[in-house]
Amino acid sequence: MKKEKFDVTGMTCSACSAAVERAVGHMDGVSAVTVNLLSNNMTVEYDDTLLEPKAIIDTVVDAGYSASVAGTTAPAKSSEASHVQGEIDAMKHRTIVSMVFMVLLMYVAMGHMVGLPVPSFLLGVENASTMALVQFLLALPVLYVNRQYYQTGFKTLWRRSPNMDSLIAIGSGAAVVYGVFAMFRIGWGLGHGDLDLVMRYSHDLYFESAAMILALITLGKFLEARSKGRTSDAIAKLIDLAPQVATVIRNNVEVEVPVADLVEGDVIVIKPGQSIPVDGVIIEGNSAVDESALTGESIPVAKNVGDKVISATINKSGTFRFKATRIGDDTTLAQIIRLVEEASSSKAPIAKLADKISGIFVPVVITIALAAFVVWMLLGYPFEFALTIGIAVLVISCPCALGLATPVAIMVGTGQGALHGILTKSAEALETAHSVNTVVLDKTGTITEGKPQVTDVIPGSTLSHKELLTIGASLEKPSEHPLADAIVARGLEDQVQLQQVSDFLAVPGKGVQGKIGDQVYLAGNLAFMQENEIDLGEFEHSADRLAEQGKTPMYFANTKEVLGIIAVADVVKPTSKQAIHDLAKLGIDVVMLTGDNKRTAEAIRRELDIKTVIAEVLPDDKEREVRTLQERGKIVAMVGDGVNDAPALARADVGVAIGAGTDVAIESADIVLMKNDLRDVATAIKLSKATLRNIKQNLFWAFFYNALGIPLAAGLLFPFFGWKLNPMYAAAAMSLSSIFVVSNALRLRRFNPNK
């Protein structure tokens, strides 16, 4: 079996992706097919002895869409990004043209009804033909720039897989056709002196209805288009993490070469502050390397000869040399990029309820309209009477309310989210979040602050709190280690007077020593104290207790005994406990996922009363853990802030990024918490539930009007009561349903997360 990825264009809704999936899935030799609407691609698993890619592409084309093998039409990431931007620019142009001409058309058609000044040559029965022609000409630009609805809508209708475009095409097309018919009737009336006929048909011009449908739907499509391409943006930012050049030893000389030219076995020189270009093993020197971008661990890791280093991590202190062992597509960073791509492409598209119903609704409406026309003709009624009946059915069934039901609620919902500091980047995310039953939380920077801070200062009997902090901050000032930075920051915060340090010496992975005045002081871990035969006294038990709490204890001593301990840790955010409690109240399982050691993770678990904790995980482990939960039937939201979280964020049903996190995490996520408050995860889920409930109400009312109006429009009551629905009233009823839907959606503005 072979697995291949295809780019598919022309899809606009879940009915489109379902049609493609159905067509390809029925092919002999195809065992699995997944179509991703958001990223416009399709992954097919097939028997390559029975099928060729061309046959699959031909099947997609026969279904009414375009396809190509992935990568053959956009070989570079920049090309893909420019393609997405081109799509957004095109939608923006369509929206501007549509809105401008719709406003002009509405002014001409309706202005005189509300007392606005309208040119006199457009007013009066005698000018009805001119008024009709002007309205038609103003509608033409809107029809032209949105011709894609007709091209796709009628094509999919012809292939018996109608979608929302089919509804838009039929509804607005019916309004235009009837408007043109009315223009001819007006002309006939003026030519024959039948002013009553002219008056009647001058009110039966529905060009403004057609333009309004297209303009409003296009506005929604434009807002949708802006949220597309997030995955490609994330991948571009991932690529930017790695340096473009590296310093290598060639013929015993340091030379700079492009990273793309590196080969396995190259010896690479890394200086303080530089980013590591590829994976490798240190062969000379030592340092502390910040791996937070990939592992989430906030504290830099000491590296010595024989230790591994990974691409896109940052050297914080010493200079070292390492031998390249994994280059190009084999590096850790490249694997993360691949995971983001795969996780994104495997996401199942959210099928819009309106699109699901459209497959039944459209054929039924067309059938009713044709049946009504034929029946009234067979009953001997005039052609005009029967045509009016058929058009009335189509007009009242126009998908304006149906098309607005979801996007209006989504727009109001996302607006309310923004007011609460929650940025939702796609309608799919807002819809999906309501069904989340498991939330996976990254620890570093999400549950915790994401940077080391001093938590405890424990002096011995010979020193005061301030004296120990003075010695500690002074001794750590020359050091480049992040733990030293935390102690110095605490010293400055407590306004201690830093002392001059001489004979300073840093011992990688253990500690530092130096002289303050005439006294030699040491600072470091237990191994450093034991190596220098320092008496630990009563402090060993204190250090063990602090370590059990997930803190890093640092001993401070003179040449004989320990003088005190200063503990450093990545502290829990003040709102994290309440956030986890809020999620539990919603019946949601909380899982903490971290690259930290098990002892630190267990301390956090106890403090926050989290039931499930998975520690010491690498980036691909996080993505795998999320996938495992999904395979168990869980709807998973992943909350994170680092590059290491990007694959898991993309894999999750809903990815949630902390606003202070990396750009890559934010781009990979579906929802961004701008206030960095974990409590907003529960708020986002509550907002999703409220929005989905509102969407269902909107869809009910949209179809409720159709259910009431279609029988009336079809003339079922005419034989009994003489009631016949004029297309003008059909359009009014259609507009009323739209007003009802919009008004209902506006109720979301009263959303209160605390209820």
Side-chain angles (χ1 to χ4, degrees), residues 203-491:
H203 292 295
D204 285 356
L205 296 169
Y206 302 114
F207 298 124
E208 75 279 3
S209 297
M212 180 179 288
I213 293 167
L214 295 172
L216 292 177
I217 296 296
T218 301
L219 175 61
K221 293 282 186 183
F222 167 61
L223 296 175
E224 257 182 52
R226 288 200 307 178
S227 68
K228 277 196 173 186
R230 297 297 185 185
T231 300
S232 57
D233 288 345
I235 293 169
K237 290 182 185 300
L238 278 171
I239 293 171
D240 289 342
L241 281 175
Q244 300 302 307
V245 295
T247 303
V248 299
I249 304 297
R250 297 275 170 88
N251 299 321
N252 296 320
V253 178
E254 291 186 8
V255 294
E256 280 195 350
V257 300
V259 171
D261 293 341
L262 292 176
V263 296
E264 284 188 31
D266 269 341
V267 176
I268 302 168
V269 180
I270 300 294
K271 297 177 181 178
Q274 290 185 337
S275 181
I276 297 170
V278 293
D279 295 3
V281 177
I282 294 179
I283 59 174
E284 182 183 325
N286 52 64
S287 182
V289 176
D290 181 0
E291 297 182 343
S292 60
L294 296 181
T295 66
E297 176 59 73
S298 56
I299 298 174
V301 180
K303 297 289 184 180
N304 296 294
V305 174
D307 290 336
K308 293 180 180 180
V309 290
I310 50 182
S311 57
T313 56
I314 300 172
N315 181 30
K316 300 294 288 186
S317 51
T319 298
F320 63 88
R321 296 182 179 186
F322 76 95
K323 181 181 289 186
T325 57
R326 293 162 67 185
I327 61 172
D329 293 339
D330 294 329
T331 65
T332 302
L333 179 64
Q335 290 175 357
I336 291 178
I337 293 171
R338 177 177 53 78
L339 284 171
V340 172
E341 288 178 321
E342 288 182 356
S344 297
S345 64
S346 66
K347 254 185 182 176
I350 307 301
K352 299 290 190 296
L353 186 56
D355 289 328
K356 289 181 178 179
I357 297 172
S358 68
I360 302 171
F361 180 67
V362 177
V364 169
V365 168
I366 296 172
T367 301
I368 292 173
L370 288 173
F373 174 79
V374 171
V375 167
W376 288 112
M377 286 292 290
L378 292 175
L379 290 175
Y381 285 83
F383 172 81
E384 181 182 320
F385 179 92
L387 181 63
T388 303
I389 290 286
I391 293 294
V393 171
L394 289 173
V395 169
I396 201 169
S397 304
C398 179
C400 196
L402 185 60
L404 288 173
T406 297
V408 171
I410 291 293
M411 288 173 67
V412 178
T414 51
Q416 284 303 110
L419 290 176
H420 290 87
I422 301 167
L423 175 62
T424 305
K425 298 196 301 185
S426 70
E428 287 81 4
L430 195 60
E431 289 183 45
T432 307
H434 88 282
S435 57
V436 165
N437 51 31
T438 302
V439 171
V440 177
L441 301 174
D442 172 53
K443 181 187 79 71
T444 306
T446 302
I447 293 176
T448 64
E449 294 289 355
K451 58 182 180 180
Q453 296 181 19
V454 172
T455 58
D456 300 85
V457 180
I458 306 174
S461 58
T462 60
L463 291 179
S464 68
H465 178 285
K466 191 167 187 177
E467 287 172 336
L468 176 59
L469 201 53
T470 299
I471 293 172
S474 300
L475 196 59
E476 296 289 2
K477 178 66 175 173
S479 175
E480 297 176 339
H481 199 284
L483 294 184
D485 293 342
I487 294 172
V488 173
R490 176 62 179 269

Side-chain angles (χ1 to χ4, degrees), residues 441-686:
L441 301 174
D442 172 53
K443 181 187 79 71
T444 306
T446 302
I447 293 176
T448 64
E449 294 289 355
K451 58 182 180 180
Q453 296 181 19
V454 172
T455 58
D456 300 85
V457 180
I458 306 174
S461 58
T462 60
L463 291 179
S464 68
H465 178 285
K466 191 167 187 177
E467 287 172 336
L468 176 59
L469 201 53
T470 299
I471 293 172
S474 300
L475 196 59
E476 296 289 2
K477 178 66 175 173
S479 175
E480 297 176 339
H481 199 284
L483 294 184
D485 293 342
I487 294 172
V488 173
R490 176 62 179 269
L492 296 175
E493 182 183 325
D494 287 8
Q495 298 180 338
V496 302
Q497 190 68 39
L498 297 183
Q499 304 297 309
Q500 184 68 36
V501 176
S502 59
D503 299 335
F504 178 80
L505 174 66
V507 182
K510 294 182 179 180
V512 298
Q513 72 177 52
K515 186 183 287 187
I516 301 177
D518 296 328
Q519 179 66 53
V520 175
Y521 291 99
L522 297 89
N525 56 25
L526 178 61
F528 193 45
M529 296 296 110
Q530 292 173 338
E531 184 179 292
N532 287 275
E533 300 180 348
I534 304 297
D535 181 16
L536 301 178
E538 75 278 9
F539 290 105
E540 189 169 6
H541 295 297
S542 298
D544 289 340
R545 176 178 54 81
L546 292 168
E548 285 295 327
Q549 296 171 1
K551 301 172 182 177
T552 302
M554 296 182 64
Y555 295 93
F556 289 84
N558 55 27
T559 54
K560 296 181 180 179
E561 61 180 357
V562 173
L563 303 174
I565 289 178
I566 298 179
V568 178
D570 185 9
V571 299
V572 172
K573 291 179 180 178
T575 58
S576 292
K577 190 165 188 176
Q578 181 62 46
I580 291 167
H581 176 70
D582 291 346
L583 290 170
K585 282 177 64 178
L586 290 173
I588 294 172
D589 295 330
V590 177
V591 178
M592 185 176 81
L593 220 53
T594 177
D596 271 352
N597 61 67
K598 291 181 180 179
R599 175 181 278 186
T600 301
E602 176 60 22
I604 299 294
R605 188 201 69 77
R606 288 196 304 267
E607 182 179 351
L608 299 179
D609 193 26
I610 300 173
K611 291 183 179 179
T612 307
V613 170
I614 304 173
E616 298 177 358
V617 291
L618 296 174
D620 55 340
D621 294 329
K622 291 188 177 184
E623 186 269 346
R624 188 178 65 247
E625 291 294 341
V626 170
R627 187 171 69 248
T628 300
L629 288 168
Q630 290 173 324
E631 289 169 353
R632 294 176 188 166
K634 302 290 187 181
I635 307 299
V636 182
M638 171 70 195
V639 187
D641 75 322
V643 175
N644 62 299
D645 301 318
L649 288 170
R651 168 67 66 184
D653 297 281
V654 180
V656 183
I658 298 293
T662 63
D663 288 344
V664 176
I666 291 172
E667 292 292 351
S668 299
D670 304 298
I671 297 174
V672 179
L673 307 183
M674 303 302 292
K675 293 188 295 187
N676 305 322
D677 191 336
L678 201 55
R679 291 175 298 181
D680 287 339
V681 176
T683 300
I685 292 172
K686 290 177 182 177

